Amino acid sequence: MESPVTVFTQIPDFLDYLGSDLATTIAKTTALANLDLNPKFPFLCSRHYADLIKKANDPAALLCEILPTKDELKKVDGFVDDPVGDLPAGKSDCVIQKYDQRALIVSTATCGARCRFCFRKNYPFQNTPDVARQVSHWLNTHTDVWEVILSGGDPLTLGPGAFRELIEAIAMHPSVTTLRIHTRLPVMHPDLVMQHFELLRELPARFSCVLVSHVDHADELDEESATVFAQLRFSGWTLLNQSVLLRGISDDAAKLNALCRKLFEQGVLPYYLHQLDHANGVAHFEVSDDEARKLIAEIRTKLPGYLVPKLVREIAGEKSKTPI
Ligand code: SF4
């Protein structure tokens, strides 16, 4: 499938682009490794995200999200390749069904960056050439499914032709009334969201449409993400955000507070704060449940209730997310 993502794939090029002062200072102060050590999940970062890092108040936090470190190679008990039970819930190469009457489509392996804490960093993506046909075929025999969730990878990295084909395949099934898209593109590659805009604007006439952005730090939000969210909101999309609680990135009440407020300024409601999924290679991002509860209690004293996200964990095999 065609994908117009523009990215850095080489860490030295990326650090050069950041500028030697910033890169050197960050590398020294945070002990981040200038090495790409995991061939199965190599470094990747969009130019837009690199620009966000350059203008961030807290550049080390954003850099931690995407720059590989030696910690990823540590084997830690309880951390596994499929932490949320995607594989046993697989119905085809690209359809996962964990919950009644809802289905998730692994629409692509491509992302705007490779987040080092990704729960699918060890997922055996199939690079299925006929996702639209497979999805349509599966929906033919699952007429109780009313919500289809596009996931990945990042579904909005699909080229316009492939994205339209997938949406049209889903829209052929009248039982599907809700379309949900999970994406980090509004902060990774906002121009790629805009390339789909004509189609995204048409969709609320056919479906109830929900976009769940994955934003973990206030510095990821800028005027470009604000434009994307504003256009979607005015077109009738419901905008929610889910974050992952991450050591060194968002494990601070002031940072969470700033994220929730800035999301709302851009028309997005904070919805879930996820405890880290225990994928191999992410243990260094872990924040304990006790610490997480304290953080939520603290932001609850600073924010109106509608801006306090639900603290949850996904447990493989459970029929819903588990509140903490
Ligand atoms: S954008 Fe999402 S799927 Fe892609 S690497 Fe980041 S967390 Fe994983």
Side-chain angles (χ1 to χ4, degrees), residues 9-11 33-39 41-44 68 114 116:
T9 56
Q10 302 298 318
I11 292 174
N34 180 11
L35 290 168
D36 206 355
L37 296 162
N38 182 351
F41 197 72
F43 170 77
L44 183 87
R114 290 203 182 91
R116 305 322 300 177

Side-chain angles (χ1 to χ4, degrees), residues 41 110-115 117-120 152-154 184 214:
F41 197 72
T110 305
C111 297
R114 290 203 182 91
C115 313
F117 51 85
C118 180
F119 71 104
R120 289 208 178 109
D154 198 312
R184 240 162 112 53
H214 295 194

